[in-house]
Amino acid sequence: AQRQKMSNSSSITHFLLLAFSDTRQLQLLHFCLFLGIYLAALLGNGLIITTIAWDHHLHTPMYFFLSNLSVLDLSSISTTVPKSMHNSLWDTRAVSYKGCAAQLFLFVFFFSAEYWLLTIMSYDRYVAICKPLHYGTLLGSRACVHMAAAAWGAGFLNALLHTANTFSLPLCQGNAVDQFFCEIPQILKLSCSDSYLREVGLLVFVLFIVFCCFVFIVVSYVQIFRVVLRIPSEQGRHKAFSTCLPHLAVLFLFVSSGMFAYLKPSSISSPFLDLLVVAVLYAVVPPAVNPLIYSLRNQQLKDAMWELITH
């Protein structure tokens, strides 16, 4: 009775997540691997949040948004990885109906809030480099708080809409989710015939907003690079690039992995590829790698971290 057929979603009490392996040794290997990644994400993001809070020299808009990004990264990886580790350790696949809905809501919330925040961070870099004289007025502390709150609020609303929409659908294709966590496309696969079209419409609308943000980011960076390349001193150019490149790298990792997950051609679609490569790439890797990308290129942050550790 691994896969129960049902006529109505109200009779589903739990979902079955896709297991990484049925072999005990590989399950334990997966547990250890995810534990390592999770601890790295906790340590890296925790260190960034603590350093920025501790060092008053880092109380600037750029670092305020970066600490928000670290909180979102920690939150999103905590939504998916611990449950997957628990399932591997105890050799189970089950997640309760409410647990699945909560996981889907939180993942969409943190994931979309992070995208809006990355868009705001590109605006911050644009103002800092292209309009430095207006930086204090355009990005005052109140404006920064409002922008960050808007990113969190938009993520919350987006998640609320999608979760309510997805779980209001009648599910009659069983309860086995082809993913190691609950996500919208996999729940839609369990819905009956045409009832999922409303959620697809909502996804198209959100994709349009995502595309608009992406265009805004690209235009911002075109302006930034035009200004940076005109800076006469090599040191000035290097300093400008060192604050932009980490953000660009994080953005590229976030967008490319997300796009590959949802827009990849069906010819390269297989449960194994979907599970191991794609989902891990966009749900697990960025939160663990982002702190490394930011701290490697940023001398000011590295110095502050070193001072905090050795203090």
Side-chain angles (χ1 to χ4, degrees):
Q2 279 280 301
R3 194 182 181 100
Q4 53 196 82
K5 286 277 177 185
M6 32 202 89
S7 57
N8 198 333
S9 54
S10 61
S11 56
I12 293 181
T13 55
H14 67 279
F15 292 94
L16 296 169
L17 297 173
L18 189 59
F20 272 77
S21 174
D22 296 327
T23 315
R24 193 69 196 128
Q25 287 89 337
L26 288 175
Q27 284 175 345
L28 293 172
L29 178 66
H30 159 245
F31 171 81
C32 294
L33 195 66
F34 264 32
L35 180 65
I37 293 170
Y38 188 55
L39 289 175
L42 282 179
L43 181 68
N45 288 295
L47 196 56
I48 284 180
I49 295 162
T50 311
T51 305
I52 292 169
W54 173 78
D55 192 334
H56 66 92
H57 295 113
L58 301 181
H59 293 177
T60 64
M62 184 174 94
Y63 292 107
F64 169 72
F65 293 132
L66 180 55
S67 60
N68 270 269
L69 183 75
S70 288
V71 171
L72 285 168
D73 276 337
L74 268 185
S75 304
S76 70
I77 200 169
S78 298
T79 304
T80 55
V81 169
K83 178 63 183 169
S84 182
M85 283 160 53
H86 169 272
N87 283 6
S88 281
L89 193 60
W90 301 112
D91 190 19
T92 176
R93 291 174 55 198
V95 60
S96 70
Y97 186 87
K98 284 180 181 174
C100 186
Q103 192 179 55
L104 186 142
F105 170 79
L106 289 170
F107 183 73
V108 175
F109 172 26
F110 298 131
F111 197 76
S112 48
E114 185 162 332
Y115 184 68
W116 312 138
L117 190 72
L118 286 168
T119 307
I120 291 165
M121 288 170 84
S122 70
Y123 174 70
D124 165 67
R125 290 299 82 213
Y126 165 75
V127 176
I129 290 167
C130 301
K131 299 185 185 296
L133 298 176
H134 301 287
Y135 192 69
T137 49
L138 289 173
L139 284 150
S141 54
R142 186 177 286 184
C144 290
V145 170
H146 287 167
M147 285 178 185
W152 284 84
F156 183 84
L157 264 176
N158 187 36
L160 202 63
L161 272 171
H162 282 299
T163 309
N165 222 353
T166 303
F167 282 91
S168 67
L169 300 172
L171 308 176
C172 53
Q173 304 290 329
N175 68 333
V177 179
D178 288 335
Q179 190 54 278
F180 75 92
F181 64 97
C182 292
E183 64 168 1
I184 296 168
Q186 304 306 330
I187 302 292
L188 290 185
K189 284 182 184 176
L190 307 179
S191 69
C192 308
S193 57
D194 299 329
S195 54
Y196 66 90
L197 287 174
R198 186 179 55 187
E199 173 59 21
V200 170
L202 188 59
L203 280 170
V204 168
F205 172 68
V206 170
L207 275 174
F208 172 72
I209 297 171
V210 165
F211 179 73
C212 290
C213 286
F214 186 70
V215 169
F216 174 82
I217 292 164
V218 170
V219 170
S220 297
Y221 270 100
V222 168
Q223 301 288 344
I224 286 167
F225 286 129
R226 279 173 64 187
V227 170
V228 170
L229 293 172
R230 286 207 297 266
I231 295 172
S233 73
E234 197 179 325
Q235 193 183 358
R237 282 199 301 271
H238 181 265
K239 192 182 175 186
F241 275 129
S242 69
T243 63
C244 293
L245 292 178
H247 177 253
L248 264 182
V250 166
L251 194 69
F252 177 76
L253 182 67
F254 185 85
V255 173
S256 59
S257 57
M259 280 173 67
F260 186 70
Y262 290 106
L263 305 176
K264 66 182 182 303
S266 54
S267 58
I268 56 163
S269 185
S270 74
F272 186 75
L273 185 78
D274 284 0
L275 174 75
L276 272 182
V277 183
V278 181
V280 171
L281 195 66
Y282 85 95
V284 179
V285 172
V289 173
N290 286 356
L292 197 64
I293 294 172
Y294 269 103
S295 52
L296 275 179
R297 294 279 316 189
N298 193 317
Q299 195 59 46
Q300 194 181 4
L301 188 61
K302 273 196 287 193
D303 292 345
M305 276 182 184
W306 182 246
E307 205 178 317
L308 175 70
I309 293 163
T310 57
H311 192 62

